[in-house]
Amino acid sequence: MTPSRDISRLIEIMAALRTPVTGCPWDLEQDFATIAPYTIEEAYEVVEAISRGDLDDLREELGDLLLQVVFHAQMAEEQNAFAFGDVVEAITRKMIRRHPHVFADKDGNLASSHVKEVWDRIKAEEKAERAARRPPEETPKHKSLLGGVKAGQPALTRAMELQRKASTVGFDWNDPRAVLQKIREEADEIEAALDRNDKQEIADETGDLMFALVNLARHVDADPEAALRATNAKFEKRFAYIEQALEAQGRTLEQASLVEMDALWNAAKGEEKTISETRREARR
């Protein structure tokens, strides 16, 4: 089977991988739940390629993400639920419906300031229609304010959205310092759980602390996902400094003590601070 620019070739390849006996053993073992983490991972890798401005890598990562869509569609088709073509039809119908200012038969374009308003209204209508199509037993008895927050989002992002939604009815702190106090309380509760050596309680309290940290980020207008991504990059840079410093001494990480590595870490922080201060002076 040869590569092609035609989407049908990708669908054929996926079908071949999922064909019993002759297909790929790993692909045949998968289901929606086992593939879902890979779908999220590929979406993140698309974002990472964009953040680096690497368009060649973006092309590859978009292909990997497209494969995830095809994979899910293939599994759904095997269950006679829907096929890839149904996915395409659903999104094209949705995009046409959500852009009446572009695809409407009549004249009358919307101002850009009104486009999001119309988009949100139509999304709400679509959501109501989907709810109406569900079997009665699947319809929740209680309609929660938080029900509209999508469950499939990354945990940090969803925590932010849950908090934002709750804040619309006044369930919120008015001062970031109050959130900081809550963070201290959660840290104390983790310490108490550590004293009791209760692993489940420690995990629960750690989750509470992370939720409070997201709340602080929201109150100071920081995106927690972006903030953590920046910290990850900072950690990698500082750790690389430790590795390079030890390599210059002809040593490995395994040969260094924690005290030595911690000293090099602080040296890396010192260099970063010096560079930052020099840049600030240059901008003055």
Side-chain angles (χ1 to χ4, degrees):
M1 190 174 286
T2 57
S4 171
R5 298 174 67 90
D6 190 336
I7 186 65
S8 62
R9 181 55 54 82
L10 180 58
I11 296 171
E12 291 172 1
I13 291 171
M14 192 70 252
L17 292 173
R18 290 279 298 181
T19 300
V21 182
T22 61
C24 171
W26 185 89
D27 288 278
L28 285 165
E29 290 177 354
Q30 306 312 309
D31 56 29
F32 295 114
T34 61
I35 289 298
Y38 295 102
T39 307
I40 295 172
E41 180 181 337
E42 296 300 350
Y44 272 116
E45 290 182 0
V46 167
V47 174
E48 184 183 355
I50 292 171
S51 67
R52 295 197 310 270
D54 189 336
L55 296 184
D56 286 337
D57 199 22
L58 177 59
R59 178 190 62 232
E60 298 295 325
E61 297 301 345
L62 286 172
D64 291 344
L65 184 57
L66 177 59
L67 175 63
Q68 295 298 308
V69 178
V70 172
F71 205 141
H72 285 288
Q74 174 63 32
M75 292 187 291
E77 185 171 9
E78 292 165 5
Q79 298 179 21
N80 296 318
F82 60 83
F84 182 79
D86 299 312
V87 175
V88 175
E89 182 182 12
I91 188 59
T92 52
R93 182 189 303 113
K94 188 181 295 182
M95 295 306 291
I96 291 169
R97 180 177 180 178
R98 291 182 181 179
H99 294 84
H101 53 294
V102 176
F103 301 111
D105 294 332
K106 59 184 179 181
D107 293 332
N109 293 326
L110 289 175
S112 59
S113 59
H114 295 154
V115 170
K116 187 177 186 303
E117 179 183 334
V118 172
W119 175 282
D120 290 340
R121 175 178 57 77
I122 294 174
K123 281 182 66 177
E125 292 172 357
E126 292 170 350
K127 182 179 178 181
E129 290 172 3
R130 288 197 301 273
R133 290 197 299 268
R134 293 194 192 103
E137 63 272 17
E138 293 185 17
T139 303
K141 295 180 180 179
H142 169 67
K143 185 178 181 181
S144 172
L145 174 70
L146 306 179
V149 181
K150 295 181 180 179
Q153 300 179 86
L156 287 178
T157 303
R158 189 163 191 264
M160 175 81 90
E161 291 304 315
L162 288 169
Q163 293 166 6
R164 280 177 177 163
K165 184 69 75 171
S167 72
T168 62
V169 292
F171 191 72
D172 199 3
W173 283 285
N174 295 321
D175 184 354
R177 293 182 183 278
V179 186
L180 194 59
Q181 179 58 38
K182 180 63 176 176
I183 289 171
R184 294 190 181 102
E185 290 176 11
E186 297 296 354
D188 289 341
E189 290 179 9
I190 291 176
E191 187 170 12
L194 285 169
D195 291 340
R196 289 187 288 272
N197 196 29
D198 186 325
K199 290 186 177 181
Q200 184 56 55
E201 186 182 4
I202 293 168
D204 291 343
E205 297 298 348
T206 300
D208 291 346
L209 176 60
M210 294 174 71
F211 193 83
L213 288 168
V214 171
N215 219 334
L216 178 62
R218 182 173 61 88
H219 276 80
V220 298
D221 295 323
D223 179 347
E225 192 72 34
L228 184 56
R229 193 179 299 119
T231 296
N232 288 342
K234 185 163 52 180
F235 180 89
E236 289 178 298
K237 184 177 180 181
R238 291 175 182 174
F239 196 81
Y241 179 97
I242 296 173
E243 291 175 313
Q244 292 163 9
L246 289 172
E247 185 178 352
Q249 299 171 15
R251 304 169 67 204
T252 65
L253 289 167
E254 291 76 14
Q255 293 170 330
S257 68
L258 178 58
V259 172
E260 290 174 307
M261 288 190 284
D262 196 44
L264 290 171
W265 176 274
N266 289 329
K269 286 179 64 176
E271 283 196 8
E272 289 173 6
K273 184 177 180 181
T274 300
I275 293 171
S276 179
E277 290 174 349
T278 301
R279 287 174 178 169
R280 277 200 299 269
E281 289 295 328
R283 287 196 294 267
R284 290 179 181 175

